[in-house]
Amino acid sequence: MRLRDRYGAWGLDTPPAESWRDRAACRSADDPEIFFPKVSAMRGARGAETRAYAAAQQVCARCPVQQECRAYALDRDEQYGMWGGMTPGQRRRLLNQMKAAG
C-alpha cells in the first residue's frame, strides 16, 4: 500500500503538514556533530571547531529551508551551533546590527 493510500485509510485527505525541519539537509548529514562542535580547552580545538563549521556550512548551502532555519535561530537567540548557515558569532553580529539599525 502506498503511503498516500494509507492516509485515505486513516480518514485523512492528505498527509500531515511537513515541518521545515523535516526538509532540512542536516537531517541526512553524514556527521551531525559538525553542527554543534564540542569546544575544548585543548590546544587546536579552535581549528577543529572552524573545520566543523565549514563542513556544516557546505551542508547548509544546499539546504532548501536555510532561511527558515536561520529565522528560527535568530528569533530564539540560539547561542550554540550552526543554524541556517550561520555560526553563533555570525548570528550575534547580525542581531547586534539589527538592534543598532532600529
Side-chain angles (χ1 to χ4, degrees), residues 1-18 22:
M1 179 184 282
R2 292 183 333 206
L3 185 61
R4 182 92 176 167
D5 295 336
R6 283 190 216 153
Y7 288 106
W10 295 328
L12 301 173
D13 292 332
T14 59
E18 197 176 36
D22 295 327

Side-chain angles (χ1 to χ4, degrees), residues 69-87:
C69 180
R70 181 178 299 148
Y72 176 88
L74 291 170
D75 287 345
R76 285 154 185 80
D77 195 16
E78 286 287 342
Q79 300 294 308
Y80 304 100
M82 175 69 64
W83 291 86
M86 296 182 83
T87 65

Side-chain angles (χ1 to χ4, degrees), residues 9-84:
W10 295 328
L12 301 173
D13 292 332
T14 59
E18 197 176 36
S19 164
W20 64 265
R21 290 180 186 199
D22 295 327
R23 298 186 325 271
C26 58
R27 289 183 62 93
S28 60
D30 292 334
D31 183 6
E33 289 190 18
I34 61 175
F35 298 94
F36 291 89
K38 295 177 182 154
V39 180
S40 169
M42 294 175 16
R43 190 175 186 183
R46 189 74 169 144
E49 180 184 30
T50 300
R51 286 188 299 279
Y53 277 144
Q57 283 179 319
Q58 289 179 353
V59 174
C60 292
R62 68 173 194 274
C63 185
V65 295
Q66 184 180 25
Q67 290 179 345
E68 292 93 332
C69 180
R70 181 178 299 148
Y72 176 88
L74 291 170
D75 287 345
R76 285 154 185 80
D77 195 16
E78 286 287 342
Q79 300 294 308
Y80 304 100
M82 175 69 64
W83 291 86

